[in-house]
């Protein structure tokens, strides 16, 4: 069967920013009823390509063919008019408006309406939600809804504007795997309607499942493109990174007879979690996973004193500790890399060097409590080298780094302190494959040096790859523990779903 | 698709409360009236009603302008300067040139035009140069007031052109007692403006666009709202409303004093915030704002009745502003933590 005529064909797109080549002679097309995956590491040119097609950025060269017409560049309004919709990672919704308005107004504004009739807006929204078969209260304010609902609203909004081609930027990062399943059902129904979809994703398992075709960008050029059946995981990773990366590495066994580094006994917080008991041995990597709202993040925050627990006890190195605040936790030797690194993990506008020493200033001071510049510099250099942070200089702001390197800085801030126990919440969300691999390797190296590591995550393959044990949380209770032979992706998923 | 019971467990209660706490405000006003009436029975009179209405009519128009600015996520402190510039300039201009001296409507059109022209200053700096609204309007407040005193005049003018003079003594209602209290016919345009702004905010794309911009300006741009155009509209329209309000004030008091109004921003901003408009943008209603203006006016009126000196009245209004903003911040925080619970583990 000959492939259908493409809905959109971008040909020979090039774009420079100053002296940097973002895209060089990139061609990309989307056919009706297919999912075309756009993969590539951070900085490979994916976002620039989307922006060119959405009319946000004008290309230096190349053409965009759509609906039999050829454009040298588009404006955002033109792109919307031609049926191109981009669902950004933040969904770009209006938190203060109702579901109906979020969906309906966007359609009306695209039609250049001057008068708003609430009944029409409601009808448009109801129809759009109906089309993807979901039920969400039309009168609810978006700010009161969970992330998964917001995603569906963003999709409905695109449909309400007669989208022919929908770009989804990292659509699954904020979703639990159960919600991802629901999203994929919606995607299948869109395919049946002949909509062309473009997925931008770091999660290769998903990419391979849902896509018909895949295009991998590397350094602004198309590294490889073709039917997804021709690729396996290793081939995609190689195309993305330019080198072979193996991901599945069985974790080594732990010396178990020693005094546990961290002992948690009957930890509880009213209404959040209860009776949480576990321990972490020196050199052990323990994973904690659970569905959205299961309490997995609350447990981590309780251990770091952010939202202190109201029952149970915690010991570090055999000494009982009281964790009423992050200061207590730090004093006890616990470090915490939060899930939302952009708002909680790093100071974006401060330099890389300052970020790295921010967590350990008390160890770098001399007389009069003044920071000793030489010692500080040495700490920065050692940490940056150890973490292999790609930077022009330690004085550059963290904002200028890619997602993977930002996460390394967040990590470096704690490693410079050398905590006994390091707790990480979703450490590789939004991090590209190459960096992810290196971050996980680094954590393993630290654990071999005797650090106890607790990883909160719903990235099951990642947990299976690096954890000695995985604890499963359901409705605020530890309901399962998997280790050794029993620890596989399948068993974890089964525990989660039970 | 959706049923009324989805909206909340007790829909009648939430409807009574209103989406911007209008119900709570109305209740506060009621309690205040009863309370003051018990302490000071002379409060319960037609006079009080007319007084409150008279004192509210200019502020409610200013408040409409401030409301749309606040909904869009900004703040305006230049509206009183624009108001007095327009009111005073129209009197000076008409007296000197005789243009439209016999017709009050011409004066109001003139005030509106000057107001829009001054609004361009705000619009250009805010929408064009993306500068922060508080700083821009603080700056334009100084520029506009200074320019008026330097170029238009700095004397108090008691002589009015014929048209406005007649209008100033045209009363809708007169209550007689120990002293007579009258309600100017200018309450009619004030009410009309409130209705107009309410329709604008609810049923036009520009109006909904103002809410969208206040909710998330970047999202509004991506959704295809002409954000710069909407911002221009907001500050030009706020200028127009301030111009009209300024001339109504000058007409009503029958003495064109260029040193008036500026400094009275507190009452209006406090009224809008108490009326449920979110200082963080994206929320607010005309009905709430009207209630807020009435509440402030009532409080001032009652404090006078109870013999509280003027400086304490100002402090009381200041306190109310902080209370209003504080309540918003608290409810925003509790809303955020409950949303975080749902979105646990999700990156921003």
């Amino acid at each position: 069967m000959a492939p259908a005529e493409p809905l959109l064909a971008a040909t020979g797109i090039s774009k420079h920013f100053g002296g940097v080549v973002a895209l060089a002679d990139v061609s990309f097309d989307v056919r009706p009823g297919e999912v075309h995956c756009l993969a590539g590491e951070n900085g490979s040119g994916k976002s620039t390509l989307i922006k060119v097609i959405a009319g946000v950025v004008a290309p230096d060269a190349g053409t965009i063919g759509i609906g039999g017409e050829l454009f040298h560049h588009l404006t955002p309004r033109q792109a919307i008019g031609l049926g191109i919709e981009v669902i950004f990672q933040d969904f770009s919704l209006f938190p203060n408006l109702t579901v109906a308005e979020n969906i309906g107004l966007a359609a009306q504004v695209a039609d250049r309406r001057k008068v708003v009739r609430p009944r029409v807006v409601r009808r448009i929204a109801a129809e759009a939600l109906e089309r993807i078969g979901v039920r969400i209260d039309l009168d609810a304010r978006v700010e009161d809804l969970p992330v998964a609902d917001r995603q569906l609203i963003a999709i409905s909004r695109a449909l309400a504007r007669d989208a022919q081609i929908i770009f989804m930027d990292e659509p699954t990062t904020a979703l639990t795997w159960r919600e991802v399943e629901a999203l994929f059902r919606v995607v299948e129904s869109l395919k049946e309607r002949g909509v062309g979809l473009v997925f931008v994703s770091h999660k290769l398992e998903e990419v391979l499942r849902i896509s018909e075709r895949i295009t991998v960008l590397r350094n602004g050029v198309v590294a490889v493109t073709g039917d997804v059946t021709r690729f396996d995981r290793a081939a995609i990773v190689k195309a993305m990174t330019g080198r072979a990366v193996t991901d599945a590495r069985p974790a080594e066994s732990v010396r178990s007879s020693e005094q546990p580094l961290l002992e948690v006994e009957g930890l509880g917080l009213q209404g959040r979690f209860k009776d949480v008991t576990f321990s972490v041995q020196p050199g052990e990597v323990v994973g904690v996973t659970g569905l959205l709202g299961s309490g997995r993040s609350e447990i981590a925050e309780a251990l770091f004193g952010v939202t202190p627990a109201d029952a149970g006890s915690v010991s570090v190195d055999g000494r009982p500790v009281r964790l009423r605040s992050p200061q207590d936790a730090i004093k006890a030797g616990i470090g915490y890399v939060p899930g939302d690194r952009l708002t909680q993990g790093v100071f974006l506008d401060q330099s890389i060097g300052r970020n790295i020493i921010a967590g350990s200033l008390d160890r770098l001071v001399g007389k009069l409590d003044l920071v000793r510049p030489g010692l500080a510099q040495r700490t920065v250099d050692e940490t940056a080298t150890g973490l292999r942070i790609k930077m022009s200089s330690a004085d550059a702001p963290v904002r200028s780094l890619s997602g993977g390197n930002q996460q390394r800085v967040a990590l470096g801030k704690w490693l410079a302190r050398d905590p006994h126990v390091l707790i990480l919440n979703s450490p590789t969300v939004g991090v590209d494959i190459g960096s992810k691999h290196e971050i996980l390797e680094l954590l393993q190296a630290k654990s071999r040096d005797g650090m106890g590591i607790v990883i909160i995550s719903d990235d099951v393959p990642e947990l299976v790859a690096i954890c000695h044990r995985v604890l499963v949380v359901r409705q605020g209770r530890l309901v399962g523990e998997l280790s050794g032979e029993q620890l596989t992706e399948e068993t974890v998923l089964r525990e989660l779903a039970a | 698709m959706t049923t009324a019971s989805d909206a909340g467990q007790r829909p009648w209660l939430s409807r009574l409360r209103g989406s911007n706490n209008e119900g709570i405000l109305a209740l506060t006003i009621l309690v205040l009236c009863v309370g003051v009436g018990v302490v000071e029975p002379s409060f319960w009179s037609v006079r009080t009603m007319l007084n409150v209405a008279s004192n509210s009519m200019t502020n409610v128009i200013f408040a409409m302008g401030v409301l749309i600015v606040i909904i869009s996520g900004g703040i305006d402190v230049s509206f009183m300067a624009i108001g007095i510039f327009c009111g005073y300039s129209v009197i000076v201009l008409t007296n000197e040139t005789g243009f439209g001296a016999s017709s009050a409507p011409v004066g109001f059109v003139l005030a509106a035009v000057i107001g829009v022209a001054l609004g361009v200053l705000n619009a250009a700096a805010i929408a064009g140069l993306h500068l922060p609204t508080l700083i821009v309007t603080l700056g334009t407040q100084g520029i506009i007031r200074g320019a008026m005193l330097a170029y238009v005049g700095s004397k108090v003018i008691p002589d009015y052109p014929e048209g406005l003079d007649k209008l100033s003594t045209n009363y809708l209602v007169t209550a007689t007692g120990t002293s007579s209290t009258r309600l100017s016919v200018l309450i009619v345009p004030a009410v009309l403006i409130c209705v107009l702004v309410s329709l604008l905010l609810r049923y036009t794309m520009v109006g909904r666009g103002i809410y969208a911009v206040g909710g998330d300006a970047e999202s509004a741009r991506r959704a295809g709202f002409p954000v710069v155009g909407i911002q221009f509209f907001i500050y030009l329209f706020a200028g127009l409303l301030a111009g009209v309000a300024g001339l109504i004030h000058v007409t009503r008091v029958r003495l064109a004093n260029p040193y008036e109004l500026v400094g009275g921003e507190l009452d209006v901003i406090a009224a809008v915030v108490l009326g449920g408009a979110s200082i963080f943008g994206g929320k607010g209603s005309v009905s709430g704002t009207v209630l807020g203006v009435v509440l402030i006016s009532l409080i001032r009126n009652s404090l006078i009745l109870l013999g509280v000196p003027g400086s304490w009245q100002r402090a009381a209004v200041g306190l109310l502003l902080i209370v209003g903003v504080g309540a918003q911040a608290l409810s925003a925080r509790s809303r955020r933590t409950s949303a975080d619970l749902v979105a646990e583990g999700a990156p921003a």
Side-chain angles (χ1 to χ4, degrees):
Chain A
M1 193 180 83
E5 193 67 18
L7 287 168
L8 171 137
T11 316
I13 303 287
S14 296
K15 178 70 189 174
H16 301 246
F17 291 108
V20 183
V21 180
L23 294 171
D25 196 23
V26 169
S27 296
F28 184 78
D29 65 354
V30 188
R31 296 177 196 143
E34 74 162 357
V35 174
H36 190 156
C37 174
L38 185 58
E41 305 205 88
N42 291 331
S44 61
K46 291 173 306 190
S47 345
T48 310
L49 182 61
I50 295 179
K51 283 179 184 161
V52 164
I53 295 172
V56 180
V57 166
D60 300 334
T63 57
I64 302 160
I66 180 164
E69 275 188 270
L70 222 53
F71 299 89
H72 288 285
H73 65 88
L74 294 166
T75 66
R77 257 176 193 255
Q78 261 181 323
I80 292 168
L82 290 165
I84 300 170
E85 289 285 337
V86 180
I87 298 174
F88 291 92
Q89 235 177 313
D90 62 3
F91 309 140
S92 294
L93 297 172
F94 305 112
N96 56 325
L97 299 184
T98 63
V99 173
E101 288 203 300
N102 265 283
I103 300 170
L105 273 185
Q108 296 263 288
V109 91
D111 292 346
R112 305 203 175 205
R113 296 290 167 119
K114 296 281 178 260
V115 176
V116 178
R117 279 183 299 171
R119 272 172 54 199
V120 177
V121 166
R122 274 184 80 90
R123 203 192 60 225
I124 293 172
E127 282 172 5
L129 285 170
E130 184 97 30
R131 251 189 274 179
I132 59 168
V134 296
R135 302 170 114 242
I136 300 173
D137 179 11
L138 286 175
D139 298 314
R141 282 182 203 252
V142 165
E143 63 193 349
D144 298 330
L145 296 175
V147 183
D149 282 359
R150 296 185 201 187
Q151 172 110 42
L152 295 171
I153 293 165
I155 294 173
S156 306
R157 179 167 77 173
L159 290 179
R161 299 210 283 200
D162 280 329
Q164 301 300 308
I165 303 148
I166 302 179
F167 285 78
M168 294 194 191
D169 191 0
E170 296 281 355
T172 59
T173 33
L175 305 184
T176 59
W177 64 272
R178 193 184 291 237
E179 290 162 347
V180 170
E181 295 299 317
L183 174 68
F184 281 3
R185 281 196 293 279
V186 171
V187 167
E188 289 296 341
S189 79
L190 292 177
K191 277 157 81 168
E192 278 162 29
R193 293 167 171 278
V195 175
L197 293 114
V198 180
F199 259 51
V200 178
S201 182
H202 285 310
K203 296 192 179 173
L204 294 180
E205 290 74 20
E206 296 169 3
V207 168
L208 289 169
R209 249 190 64 198
I210 195 82
S211 307
E212 270 73 33
R213 282 194 299 154
I214 181 164
T215 294
V216 178
L217 290 182
R218 189 170 73 231
N219 298 330
V221 297
V222 176
V224 70
T225 180
D227 285 349
V228 86
T229 46
R230 286 174 32 212
F231 294 90
D232 61 4
R233 190 186 157 79
I236 299 174
V237 171
K238 186 154 184 258
M240 283 168 71
T241 58
R243 60 180 190 270
V245 176
T246 47
D247 199 73
R249 287 150 295 125
E252 296 146 43
S253 61
V254 197
R255 301 148 285 177
S256 58
S257 57
E258 293 174 48
Q259 163 79 42
L261 265 185
L262 177 72
E263 281 179 284
V264 180
E265 187 72 44
L267 202 68
L269 178 60
Q270 188 71 44
R272 306 293 170 89
F273 56 87
K274 207 178 167 184
D275 273 342
V276 173
T277 301
F278 69 97
S279 64
V280 179
Q281 301 289 333
E284 192 178 28
V285 182
V286 175
V288 177
T289 189
L291 296 177
L292 200 69
S294 60
R296 54 170 204 241
S297 289
E298 282 85 347
I299 294 172
E301 293 194 340
L303 288 176
F304 194 57
V306 181
T307 43
D310 55 16
S313 63
V314 178
S315 306
V316 177
D317 280 332
R319 283 193 314 274
V321 289
R322 265 170 60 86
L323 304 171
R324 307 304 303 169
S325 69
Q327 282 80 1
D328 289 347
I330 292 169
K331 226 175 283 166
I334 298 175
Y336 178 54
V337 181
D340 185 358
R341 68 168 174 273
L342 295 186
T343 59
Q344 299 170 4
V346 290
F347 305 103
L348 278 177
D349 292 312
Q350 289 287 339
S351 73
I352 297 162
R354 284 185 177 180
N355 266 284
I356 289 174
I357 59 169
S360 45
L361 285 174
D362 54 328
R363 307 183 158 201
L364 303 175
V365 292
K367 273 179 240 158
L368 296 174
D369 262 8
L370 295 175
V371 174
R372 293 163 59 193
L375 184 59
Q377 191 58 48
R378 209 156 53 238
T379 310
V380 170
D381 290 343
E382 279 168 11
T383 313
T385 320
L387 288 168
R388 280 187 274 169
I389 298 172
K390 286 181 211 122
M391 57 185 187
S392 49
S393 129
D395 296 327
V398 170
R399 194 182 284 284
S400 66
L401 297 174
S402 69
N405 282 312
Q406 285 180 1
Q407 183 68 315
R408 286 179 215 214
V409 173
L411 211 56
K413 190 170 93 184
W414 286 108
L415 296 182
R417 255 208 104 80
D418 208 17
H420 297 271
V421 180
L422 185 61
I423 304 169
L424 303 102
N425 198 344
S426 313
T428 60
V429 163
V431 171
D432 60 70
I433 298 271
S435 296
K436 178 174 170 174
H437 180 71
E438 285 184 18
I439 287 172
L440 295 182
E441 257 185 358
L442 190 93
L443 291 176
Q444 286 192 313
K446 283 287 163 189
S447 80
R448 276 195 293 273
D449 293 347
M451 194 182 283
I453 292 178
V454 180
I455 298 180
I456 320 285
S457 174
D458 66 351
D459 187 335
V460 176
E462 167 184 308
L463 289 174
V464 170
I466 85 155
C467 293
H468 297 98
R469 272 190 299 148
V470 171
L471 311 174
V472 179
V473 188
R474 204 186 307 139
Q475 291 173 349
R477 287 164 183 272
L478 288 186
V479 293
E481 177 177 333
L482 298 158
S483 61
E485 299 274 286
Q486 298 170 325
L487 179 53
T488 65
E489 286 182 35
E490 226 186 307
T491 53
V492 176
L493 286 175
R494 206 180 302 140
E495 278 289 339
L496 276 172
Chain B
M1 286 300 319
T2 169
T3 57
S5 63
D6 293 350
Q9 281 183 314
R10 277 173 288 179
W12 59 270
L13 193 70
S14 72
R15 195 169 317 144
L16 211 64
R17 187 178 163 188
S19 53
N20 295 295
N21 294 335
E22 290 91 344
I24 294 178
L25 207 54
L27 195 71
T28 312
I29 291 175
L30 207 68
V31 169
L32 187 78
C33 288
V34 172
V36 178
V38 168
V39 180
E40 184 57 66
S42 69
F43 178 84
W44 282 107
S45 64
V46 181
R47 257 191 76 189
T48 307
M49 271 178 64
L50 294 186
N51 260 334
V52 168
S54 293
N55 294 339
S56 303
M57 75 173 72
T58 40
N59 272 2
V60 86
I61 303 176
F62 281 123
M64 289 300 123
V66 174
L67 173 67
I68 61 170
V69 170
I70 286 185
I71 292 175
S72 79
I75 182 78
D76 186 355
V77 293
S78 68
F79 57 93
M80 285 297 189
I82 294 180
I84 194 62
F85 188 107
C86 295
Y88 184 72
S89 301
V90 166
I91 300 290
V92 170
L93 257 158
T94 320
N95 276 346
E96 281 183 10
T97 63
F99 171 73
S102 58
S103 160
V106 170
F108 276 94
V109 170
L110 206 59
V113 169
I114 300 173
V116 170
L118 294 174
V120 170
L121 288 179
N122 286 335
I126 291 163
L129 302 174
H130 305 289
L131 301 179
T133 55
L134 175 63
I135 301 301
V136 166
T137 54
L138 196 59
T140 52
Q141 181 202 78
I143 295 170
I144 291 166
R145 185 155 189 258
M148 173 184 66
L149 294 175
Y151 295 112
V152 185
S154 54
K155 283 203 271 299
V156 176
I157 301 173
D159 306 321
Y160 274 29
E162 191 194 335
L164 289 173
D165 192 44
K166 261 192 198 153
L167 183 64
S168 71
T169 51
N170 193 341
Y171 298 106
L172 201 63
V173 190
T174 306
T176 45
T178 42
S179 63
S180 69
T181 309
R182 293 173 292 202
L183 181 63
S184 165
V185 72
L186 289 165
I187 188 81
V188 176
V191 170
L192 285 179
I193 283 171
C194 291
V195 173
L196 188 87
V197 171
S198 178
L199 293 175
L200 175 97
L201 284 177
R202 244 189 262 188
Y203 298 112
T204 68
M205 196 49 94
V206 176
R208 298 319 290 171
I210 293 171
Y211 282 91
V213 170
D216 188 333
E218 181 58 25
S219 296
R221 201 177 62 83
R222 286 174 178 169
F225 282 98
V227 174
V228 170
I230 288 172
Q231 281 181 325
F232 253 88
F233 172 83
I234 290 167
Y235 291 96
L236 299 193
F237 190 61
L240 184 150
L241 291 177
V244 171
L247 187 57
I248 286 185
H249 170 82
V250 168
T251 306
R252 219 170 56 79
V253 299
R254 306 197 63 194
L255 197 65
N257 180 352
Y259 295 98
E260 274 190 332
L261 288 182
V262 175
E265 291 86 1
L266 175 66
D267 279 22
V268 176
I269 293 172
V272 175
V273 171
L274 283 177
S278 166
I279 204 75
F280 310 109
K283 281 173 199 161
S285 72
V286 168
S287 54
T289 302
V290 171
L291 289 172
V293 171
V294 169
L295 178 65
I296 296 278
S297 176
L298 258 178
I299 286 173
R300 280 201 176 258
N301 204 298
S302 337
L303 292 179
I304 293 170
L305 268 182
L306 301 175
V308 177
S311 44
W312 281 107
Q313 292 177 29
R314 205 172 156 78
V317 176
L319 183 70
L320 276 175
L321 175 63
I322 305 289
V323 167
V325 173
Q328 284 178 15
L330 276 180
S331 87
R333 200 172 304 158
S334 69
R335 196 183 268 279
R336 211 173 308 134
T337 41
S338 66
D340 278 355
L341 251 183
V342 187
E344 175 256 358

